[in-house]
Amino acid sequence: MSSSEKPSSKGQAWFCTTGLPSDIVVEVDDMTFHLHKFPLMSKSRKLHELITQQEAEAVTHSAVPHEEDDEDE
């Protein structure tokens, strides 16, 4: 986190206040952290792998036709 980024909390949730929407939500016990994926991916190989895998699965699921689409043919 750079000096311009200051974390802020709202109840049990923490947000990075850069003005940009967060991409990742990490839950640890009863705390929720709204974070940006690129700094996490650049610092952690494990998080890079998890995020890349999750994004690949999301693309795969969105590319699979839904049953409703098959009924129209």
Side-chain angles (χ1 to χ4, degrees):
M1 197 172 341
S2 71
S3 60
S4 64
E5 297 177 11
K6 296 183 175 80
S8 68
S9 69
K10 295 178 183 175
Q12 295 290 0
W14 284 86
F15 295 86
C16 195
T17 58
T18 61
L20 301 171
S22 59
D23 318 277
I24 301 291
V25 177
V26 177
E27 295 179 9
V28 179
D29 293 329
D30 62 342
M31 296 291 294
T32 304
F33 300 89
H34 298 262
L35 307 169
H36 301 286
K37 68 180 174 183
F38 293 115
L40 294 172
M41 292 172 74
S42 69
K43 299 292 182 182
S44 169
R45 181 178 297 201
K46 181 64 176 177
L47 287 174
H48 187 280
E49 291 170 358
L50 290 171
I51 292 167
T52 303
Q53 177 184 11
Q54 182 180 14
E55 289 176 345
E57 289 174 1
V59 168
T60 301
H61 290 301
S62 67
V64 174
H66 297 245
E67 289 181 22
E68 300 91 35
D69 295 340
D70 292 339
E71 293 174 4
D72 294 339
E73 294 178 3

